[in-house]
Amino acid sequence: MDEITFKSDTVLSDVHLHTPNQRHLMVRLSGVGQPVFLSQFKLLWNQASQTDSGAEGGNHRAHHAEVTSPARSSCSSEGVSLQAGADATSQEGVAAQLDEDGDLDVVRRPRAASPSKPSGPPRDKVWRGALFLADYILSQRDLFQGRTVLELGAGTGLASILAATMAQTVYCTDVGADLLAMCQRNIALNSHLTAAGGGVIKVKELDWLKDDLCTDPEVPFSWSEEDISDLYGHTTILLAAEVFYDDDLTDALFKTLSRLAHRLKNASTAILSVEKRLNFTLRHLEVTCEAYDHFRSCLRRLEGLTGGRLRFAVEPVDASFPQLLVYERIQQLELWKVFVEPVTEPIVSADTAS
């Protein structure tokens, strides 16, 4: 992904990743002041307190989502709660909490001017789009039950973990061995959720800028032929949240969606979570929604494709589904569904043909 150029007015405010070395793209985001931080979590889930979340209009309550360091493991025991941990490289014993807007406030790994002179810990947020998608997953149990799911740009793996409480197999994908290792740790921390339903999460590398999946067994998180066959043969749901912050990457994601759709054997649905962010850009010297506008243009372009063997239909998701995690559900949070179905040739009778 090194060929991507980030311009001075590019807004990447929703990146929440940790990179312990300087091997890949995310380090460049930190270098220009974008939030890049460790995000590990453990969900504490009281199954007995959950109502049937697949039913519309059920008696749902919003439950607290608490973030703590390993030294402070207390968490809400009711419903769904979120416990975040840090490994030995982060500052232990420092707790984070919700800010005044209801966002999760997380202490970031310190950025140092030099390796020997670390600076103080600035504070960043876990962005709402991922939690918004997580709420939707929890409210749609029937949709995910027994399915094979692919998440693109999984980040911390939150959506994959929740989907795996219902799905049969979830492919949790992103790029970068260190990031994928973090996903693997989060999955291990939350294995108590997926154990009951028997859901399996497979962490794999999927680079949107490459046409083919990596099958080199020497590369960490590469794909086996069996995995690829299962992915293309059974996947019916694709997920992506908070990945539409840069036009080049958005283009790459939609190209990947189209490429995957043409390889999947079944009709599929992509569920995309995005926050419409108003940002002041140097190029226009005014407040704009450039990243969101480009995302919407990509949706329109995808829906307008004709002449192929697939038909893409796009529709927004009604945001009235229950809120089970605590965050500010603002109007700028949106979910979009992309339905992918094969184009059926019209049946022409002999009389019509003549």
Side-chain angles (χ1 to χ4, degrees):
M1 301 177 75
D2 288 338
E3 58 266 36
I4 294 178
T5 300
F6 292 92
K7 306 174 180 65
S8 59
D9 61 351
T10 298
V11 175
L12 301 165
S13 58
D14 52 352
V15 178
H16 49 282
L17 310 174
H18 165 67
T19 55
N21 52 49
Q22 297 191 5
R23 288 182 302 173
H24 63 77
L25 172 69
M26 293 300 119
V27 172
R28 293 162 59 189
L29 309 186
S30 181
V32 294
Q34 304 305 327
V36 177
F37 57 88
L38 176 66
S39 190
Q40 289 180 261
F41 58 86
K42 182 178 181 180
L43 286 157
L44 305 183
W45 195 336
N46 183 352
Q47 297 275 13
S49 70
Q50 290 288 307
T51 60
D52 181 10
S53 58
E56 291 294 330
N59 180 22
H60 299 279
R61 291 171 295 190
H63 300 296
H64 188 64
E66 180 177 355
V67 181
T68 68
S69 72
R72 299 172 62 90
S73 59
S74 63
C75 203
S76 169
S77 62
E78 184 179 31
V80 181
S81 57
L82 182 64
Q83 172 184 333
D87 61 18
T89 63
S90 64
Q91 293 188 340
E92 296 194 11
V94 180
Q97 59 261 329
L98 298 174
D99 68 7
E100 65 275 8
D101 296 324
D103 292 311
L104 301 179
D105 209 10
V106 180
V107 176
R108 180 173 82 183
R109 178 187 177 100
R111 277 212 334 264
S114 66
S116 60
K117 296 180 180 180
S119 59
R123 303 187 71 81
D124 291 313
K125 300 175 181 179
V126 175
W127 296 100
R128 292 171 289 227
L131 297 171
F132 191 51
L133 177 59
D135 265 340
Y136 182 76
I137 292 170
L138 291 171
S139 73
Q140 300 291 321
R141 303 189 68 86
D142 290 344
L143 175 63
F144 288 87
Q145 194 68 46
R147 300 297 188 93
T148 297
V149 179
L150 168 64
E151 183 180 11
L152 299 168
T156 62
L158 173 61
S160 289
I161 291 169
L162 292 178
T165 65
M166 300 156 263
Q168 177 177 332
T169 305
V170 177
Y171 290 96
C172 175
T173 71
D174 214 308
V175 64
D178 45 5
L179 173 58
L180 293 171
M182 182 183 68
C183 287
Q184 197 82 277
R185 291 194 297 271
N186 285 336
I187 291 166
L189 282 170
N190 293 279
S191 58
H192 59 289
L193 293 183
T194 58
V200 175
I201 307 177
K202 298 185 178 183
V203 179
K204 300 293 180 182
E205 179 164 294
L206 198 160
D207 190 336
W208 307 342
L209 300 179
K210 295 180 180 178
D211 290 339
D212 297 314
L213 302 175
C214 178
T215 58
D216 184 351
E218 300 298 320
V219 176
F221 306 104
S222 61
W223 296 76
S224 68
E225 294 299 331
E226 181 182 358
D227 289 332
I228 294 175
S229 177
D230 179 62
L231 174 74
Y232 293 150
H234 299 98
T235 297
T236 55
I237 298 176
L238 300 92
L239 304 173
E242 292 286 23
V243 295
F244 308 103
Y245 48 76
D246 175 82
D247 290 357
D248 292 332
L249 288 180
T250 298
D251 289 339
L253 174 63
F254 275 92
K255 181 180 178 181
T256 299
L257 278 177
S258 177
R259 182 170 62 249
L260 289 169
H262 281 84
R263 295 177 181 177
L264 297 179
K265 294 182 179 179
N266 299 304
S268 59
T269 302
I271 306 170
L272 312 177
S273 177
V274 62
E275 180 174 339
K276 182 180 181 180
R277 290 191 175 90
L278 300 171
N279 299 300
F280 181 86
T281 62
L282 297 178
R283 180 168 55 179
H284 297 288
L285 294 178
E286 64 179 355
V287 175
T288 65
C289 303
E290 283 192 303
Y292 174 81
D293 291 342
H294 187 73
F295 165 75
R296 291 295 304 275
S297 70
C298 288
L299 283 179
R300 290 190 294 270
R301 189 161 59 246
L302 189 65
E303 191 172 30
L305 292 176
T306 58
R309 64 179 184 84
L310 295 179
R311 177 175 58 250
F312 296 87
V314 177
E315 70 176 37
V317 176
D318 185 351
S320 62
F321 52 88
Q323 181 171 347
L324 299 176
L325 298 172
V326 176
Y327 59 98
E328 184 185 10
R329 185 177 283 191
I330 60 175
Q331 291 183 347
Q332 287 77 19
L333 286 171
E334 297 181 359
L335 283 180
W336 290 83
K337 283 186 176 180
V338 179
F339 300 98
V340 185
E341 297 179 343
V343 175
T344 56
E345 295 294 335
I347 299 176
V348 180
S349 66
D351 293 340
T352 304
S354 61

